[in-house]
Amino acid sequence: HTHTSTPLCVWSLLSHSLSTGELIRADTRLLSLLGCRRFQSSVVNYSTLLLEEDMGLLYVGARGAVFALNATDISDSTARTIEWEASEEQKQQCLSKGKDDKTECYNHIRFLQRFNSTHLYMCGTHAFQPLCAYIDEESFKVSSEFEEGREKCPYGPATGYTGLIVDQQMYTASQYEFQCSPDIRRNDPYPMVRTEEAPTRWFHEADFVGSALVRESEGSTTGDDDKIYYFFTEKSQEQTSYYSHIRVARVGRVCKGDRGGLLTLQKRWTSFLKATLVCSLPEYNLHFNVLRSIYTLPGHTPHDTLFYGVFSPEWKNVKISAVCRFSLSEVQRVFDGPYMENQDSGAEGSEYTGKVPDPRPGSCITDQLRSRGINSSTSLPDDMLNFVRRHPLMSQQVMSTEQRPLLFRRTTDYTQLVAHRVEGLDGQNYHLLFMGTDDGWLHRAVEVKGHLHIIEELQLFDQPQRVDSLVISHTQMSVYVGSPSGVVQLPLSTCNRYNSCYDCIFSRDPYCGWDGQDCLDITAQTDRSNLTQDVLYGNRGCDNEPVQHRSRSVMVVDDVLLQCEISSNLATPVWTLDGSELQGYGLESGFRVGTDGLLVIESQPEQSGEYTCHALENGVRVAVVKYSVTVRLDIAATFCPSPSPPTSELLSPRSMEAMYLSLITILGGLCLVLTVVLLYLGFCLRGSHRGKYSLRAAAAAAASANHTDRKRKHRKQQQKRNGDTHKGGFLQIVPREGQPSPNKDPPPPAPPLPPPPQTPHNPLNQSECDLQDFPSPNGLSATLPSVLRRMHGNSYMLLRQSEAESSSPLCRSFTEELNTILEKRKHTQLLPKPNESSL
Ligand SMILES: *[C@@H]1O[C@H](CO)[C@@H](O)[C@H](O)[C@H]1NC(C)=O
Ligand SMILES: *[C@@H]1O[C@H](CO)[C@@H](O)[C@H](O)[C@H]1NC(C)=O
Ligand SMILES: *[C@@H]1O[C@H](CO)[C@@H](O)[C@H](O)[C@H]1NC(C)=O
Ligand SMILES: *[C@@H]1O[C@H](CO)[C@@H](O)[C@H](O)[C@H]1NC(C)=O
């Protein structure tokens, strides 16, 4: 039940009427009302967030400043600031190095973490000369001299970088200086340990996105060491027929106790190993090999740790994202498996099958090694170190859980994700994910049986901008979003947004439950016995709710539109007539279904009855509206431009006859005059009409869609393009437009084209009103009615071309209108709702 909420906390609501100062104040009030808070100051690039749950503080590293915000309400006035910008002198030097003065020649805070119980540690790019310093937490002031940061912090704001402080030692990974190769380093205290570059390079243009400490020593029966895992994308060195990519996503790891070798691998990691992360849909040849973001979800024990990653394909011009999950046990299995052949052996890309030295290369110091007198990595034998130096890559690949993405999404670029566990009413633990996009949206999703179900899509900013960082707070029940323009704080759930039982249940939000009246946050309820929730299936627990009742009366052969607005983006409309489902919605059946309603074409008396519109979602049919339709056997009016609804009922047959005769005479004359005029006009303008016409219709269709629709439409257009133009490769997974959705019968074949209208004397008629050659993407429906007259709000009366020698200029605009509506409807009717997560 994807709710695409209209801007939840958008500034533009107020920005027309208020000056800047007022804007912030008024905005805050408005947002606190909506449960969303913002922090913004004169600086930009709020890219580094550090949450201190215990202290109730959110530290924010931005460009030229660090802030300490109250995590309960980041917009409150108690925010403290450390200003730290590079000096003008430093900026000049940076400029003279040819760097970009808009972004690079500033001090971007790239690192901000707790050092010990009283101090934080931070590093900034400092206009291309990185520096680091301690912050005294209590006074919130820089408490030390600035230290050289070259070994700890990258030079630029956009360089891939990850860093951790573990037991007061700093572990960072980045491509530090411009010419340097990428590196994983432990900096403090000495001895510093880093990555080997020769004879085998351990990284190839690696772009680091994240790192995680897993305390595997805790509860270990083998005396195992803690490990630090690194996640990155690098240039692929191996080439196999199946897998030939330029870039590849990897996980690497080092042991915390690693001190380097004594002679071989001196001051180099002895425990570094790396393996490929696979996030792909092999059956569609779709490989997501660029890692964008990683989140480590701790388990009950360190071995239950899970890694959630956002991936994208290599091509930069396509917006596609996938979310994959990896288990630590699978990563460990691969690190315990065979090694890849050495890159300079000439057999790269194949598994190493020779003898593996003992102790196993790349292993941490365990009890077994200690019992052999090896207490430290400096005591490891040379043959083992030589092997690991040349064979850092594992042969097997780390497969994602379920061997496939949990979510796959077109037209979305996720930049960040975070996950956490929520206990649902059924006592099960669900994983709730927040994913930020490159254009300032936040998607909230729940993982159910290996699929991600998107609960909500929220627009966070009025100006599209990438989400740079995300942090979840359990104590504050908030999620914090860092972006170029500011920080936003949102509640973890907003159950009261759902105002019916079905909305609440369909949302599948593990935080929300229906109590018979409202959708409530279950964590705030002490008595949960009367709450209903169904995360697993998203369809159980609601009684039928009262349904709107309407009636319609139409004349035989008229068309009637029965409106039915379905609020959920994931629901499909299903119509029943007197209780039985309408079969075959094609033209021959006399019905057309769209997202906005059902069109009964050329209604017949047997089509009278009770129509019910249901929203079908998750296998549940919820009645939305009922119509009692009566088709009357009156004779339909057949004259040309009839400006008013027929009034025949009010008149006696005799006077009617006379009236008809005179009317027909008058109108016939009018038609003749207009025909002549338009013939003349058409003769002069004919050349340009066709092109303009279809353009305008398209524009009208586009303009009538709202924001959400537009997104959807865009997706559909894309699908259509994909479906039509690329039949092979990955694009096959896109549901073809015109494919029937599973719960409907296939649409009937296109009816034969009717003979062209008998109007050879009237070229204008042909060019303006004859829509038979209007482009029809489905090959369906070449017989669009050509004249339309609006009778009242909801229904349309149609006059066929053959019935009316219509040459009135009126016919064009109405035709366009109907055509737009029908075109739209055709699309919506035939397109199965793309449920991407089910791919
Ligand atoms: C910093 O913010 C500015 C303005 O919002 C933006 O144009 C720029 O891309 C941001 N830089 C980084 C590194 O995020
Ligand atoms: C944060 O604000 C809340 C009220 O909004 C207050 O109770 C709390 O003491 C504040 N915390 C800090 C660290 O200032
Ligand atoms: C934390 O580290 C800082 C900087 O090294 C030091 O001055 C301070 O005394 C340390 N605090 C504690 C409690 O060890
Ligand atoms: C390793 O440590 C054990 C106990 O800590 C000690 O008895 C032994 O001598 C050490 N071995 C070496 C080679 O340092």
Side-chain angles (χ1 to χ4, degrees), residues 55-57 70 72 76:
M55 324 270 294
L57 288 171
N70 185 338
T72 312
D76 94 355

Side-chain angles (χ1 to χ4, degrees), residues 193-194 202 253-255 258-262 264-266 268-273 360-365 376-378 380 384-385 388-389:
V193 182
R194 46 177 293 179
W202 288 355
R253 75 106 205 263
V254 297
C255 303
D258 195 342
R259 301 171 60 81
L262 192 62
T264 310
L265 289 181
Q266 194 179 20
R268 300 289 186 268
W269 300 105
T270 64
S271 57
F272 176 76
L273 294 175
R360 190 182 156 82
S363 56
C364 302
I365 306 298
S376 148
S377 61
T378 49
L380 287 167
M384 172 207 173
L385 296 180
V388 75
R389 174 188 219 173

Side-chain angles (χ1 to χ4, degrees), residues 513-625:
W514 183 257
D515 76 342
Q517 306 242 289
D518 296 299
C519 196
L520 301 173
D521 184 341
I522 64 165
T523 57
Q525 308 301 312
T526 43
D527 177 20
R528 297 185 180 183
S529 57
N530 61 339
L531 293 178
T532 310
Q533 180 187 72
D534 184 16
V535 183
L536 227 41
Y537 302 99
N539 59 15
R540 299 172 307 185
C542 290
D543 300 328
N544 282 330
E545 286 159 349
V547 178
Q548 274 185 61
H549 221 111
R550 297 180 192 155
S551 32
R552 288 278 177 278
S553 177
V554 281
M555 283 190 292
V556 71
V557 199
D558 279 357
D559 294 2
V560 59
L561 177 71
L562 307 177
Q563 278 193 324
C564 176
E565 291 287 343
I566 294 174
S567 55
S568 166
N569 283 340
L570 298 180
T572 322
V574 172
W575 285 86
T576 55
L577 172 53
D578 295 329
S580 54
E581 191 171 328
L582 289 179
Q583 296 296 328
Y585 293 116
L587 263 191
E588 279 174 349
S589 68
F591 298 111
R592 277 264 170 135
V593 163
T595 44
D596 53 346
L598 175 79
L599 186 67
V600 183
I601 302 167
E602 292 180 11
S603 56
Q604 298 299 318
E606 61 270 22
Q607 287 176 313
S608 300
E610 190 175 73
Y611 288 78
T612 311
C613 171
H614 307 265
L616 175 70
E617 185 168 352
N618 269 334
V620 176
R621 274 172 23 176
V622 183
V624 179
V625 60

Side-chain angles (χ1 to χ4, degrees), residues 44-47 63 102-103 108 156-158 465-466 468 483-485:
V44 294
N45 303 124
Y46 301 79
S47 51
R63 197 182 79 179
K102 292 270 179 355
T103 58
H108 292 266
Q465 55 191 287
R466 54 175 280 141
D468 281 328
S483 78
S485 77

Side-chain angles (χ1 to χ4, degrees), residues 488-525:
V488 182
Q489 176 186 9
L490 293 141
L492 287 185
S493 68
T494 323
C495 301
N496 58 16
R497 200 154 33 220
Y498 309 120
N499 39 33
S500 78
C501 179
Y502 279 111
D503 272 347
C504 191
I505 298 294
F506 280 151
S507 77
R508 302 170 80 169
D509 189 330
Y511 273 118
C512 300
W514 183 257
D515 76 342
Q517 306 242 289
D518 296 299
C519 196
L520 301 173
D521 184 341
I522 64 165
T523 57
Q525 308 301 312

